[in-house]
Amino acid sequence: MIINQLKSEKIADILLSINAIKLQPSNFFTWSSGKKSPIYCDNRLLLSYVKERKIIIKLFCEAIIKQFESIDYIAGVATGAIPHGMLIADQLNLPFIYVRSQAKSHGRQNQIEGNLKPKSRVIVIEDLISTGKSSLKAIQAIEENNSTVIGLMSIFTYNFFNPQGLSIPYFSLCDYTTLISVAMQKKLITQTESKVLYDWQKQNELS
C-alpha cells in the first residue's frame, strides 16, 4: 500500500520529471529478463538529483518513524536499494546492512554485508518492487541470521506483488496506479495510451 495519496502523487511527479520512470506504450522496452514492457524504472537516477533525492529520503524517514518502533537496522536490497537505504540509515542514525540475492562464492561468502547482530529488528528497503522475489529472499536471509524483519518499504511498485501473504507491514512511496494517473494529469500520455498501460499491468498482476 502507498503511504499517502498526495505524497505518492508528489513522488510520481518527481520520478516522471527526472525520467527515472519512462513510459512507452507504443514502443515497449525489453527488460533484462526478456519481458516486454511499456514502462521502465531506474531509480538510480535519483542519486544525481539532490533536491529530489532529499524529498524521497525525508518521506521514507517520516513513514518509518510513524509506522515502526524499536528499529535496530536498515537493510538495502542489492544493488538498487543500497544507496537509498544507506541515506535513510544515516538520517535515522541507524546501522546499515545490505543483502545480496545469494551468498558470494568467494571470500567470506556473505549474503548479508555488514555486522548484523542476532535478535535485531530490521526494516528492508527496496528501490523497486516488481514480483517481490528479491524482497522475499532478503527477508529470508535476514531471518535465517536470527533477526526479525519488521517492515518492507519501496520507492515504487508495479503492483504485481500481492503483500497479503506477508506477515509484516509493506509500504511504497508510489505505485503504478498513481503514476499513470499523474502521467495523465501532466498530459504525458493519452487516454488510449493509459489503457495500454493499465491492460499490461493487469496481465502481469500476481494473484
Side-chain angles (χ1 to χ4, degrees):
M1 61 179 292
I2 54 174
I3 57 168
N4 174 282
Q5 187 60 43
L6 288 177
K7 290 176 181 177
S8 182
E9 290 172 2
K10 184 174 185 178
I11 299 303
D13 185 52
I14 287 174
L15 297 177
L16 289 165
S17 296
I18 67 170
N19 283 323
I21 290 183
K22 298 191 72 173
L23 303 173
Q24 289 185 184
S26 59
N27 182 25
F28 279 27
F29 296 99
T30 301
W31 289 355
S32 58
S33 63
K35 180 187 284 290
K36 299 291 184 180
S37 166
I39 179 172
Y40 191 83
C41 179
D42 183 2
N43 286 326
R44 291 169 296 189
L45 281 171
L46 279 165
L47 303 173
S48 299
Y49 293 84
V50 177
K51 182 179 73 173
E52 290 81 358
R53 182 184 73 206
K54 286 183 176 180
I55 291 171
I56 298 285
I57 300 306
K58 182 174 182 287
L59 289 177
F60 263 124
C61 292
E62 288 175 352
I64 289 169
I65 291 169
K66 181 179 179 180
Q67 301 291 340
F68 301 100
E69 295 180 355
S70 303
I71 308 159
D72 298 312
Y73 284 83
I74 299 295
V77 179
T79 59
I82 292 175
H84 304 293
M86 183 66 241
L87 289 166
I88 293 165
D90 188 57
Q91 286 294 309
L92 296 176
N93 198 31
L94 288 169
F96 176 73
I97 57 173
Y98 71 84
V99 188
R100 303 176 188 276
S101 59
Q102 58 187 19
K104 291 195 300 183
S105 60
H106 57 281
R108 294 186 177 183
Q109 299 182 330
N110 292 338
Q111 183 173 5
I112 297 174
E113 296 292 357
N115 182 26
L116 177 60
K117 295 179 181 178
K119 299 183 180 179
S120 294
R121 291 164 57 85
V122 184
I123 291 179
V124 173
I125 304 295
E126 282 272 27
D127 66 321
L128 167 69
I129 291 185
S130 54
T131 63
K133 289 180 180 178
S134 64
S135 307
L136 296 176
K137 283 183 179 180
I139 291 169
Q140 182 181 0
I142 291 167
E143 293 185 340
E144 286 176 351
N145 276 264
N146 197 25
S147 287
T148 302
V149 175
I150 60 172
L152 171 65
M153 301 185 72
S154 65
I155 298 174
F156 182 72
T157 175
Y158 291 119
N159 294 126
F160 297 161
F161 175 58
N162 184 350
Q164 290 183 354
L166 286 177
S167 59
I168 57 172
Y170 164 57
F171 301 96
S172 188
L173 298 188
C174 184
D175 67 359
Y176 190 88
T177 304
T178 303
L179 184 98
I180 302 309
S181 175
V182 170
M184 284 284 292
Q185 293 170 25
K186 291 167 67 72
K187 300 188 185 304
L188 298 176
I189 54 173
T190 65
Q191 186 72 44
T192 301
E193 288 174 325
S194 73
K195 186 178 185 306
V196 173
L197 288 155
Y198 281 125
D199 286 348
W200 173 83
Q201 194 276 332
K202 287 177 183 177
Q203 289 168 6
N204 289 277
E205 191 173 11
L206 301 178
S207 59

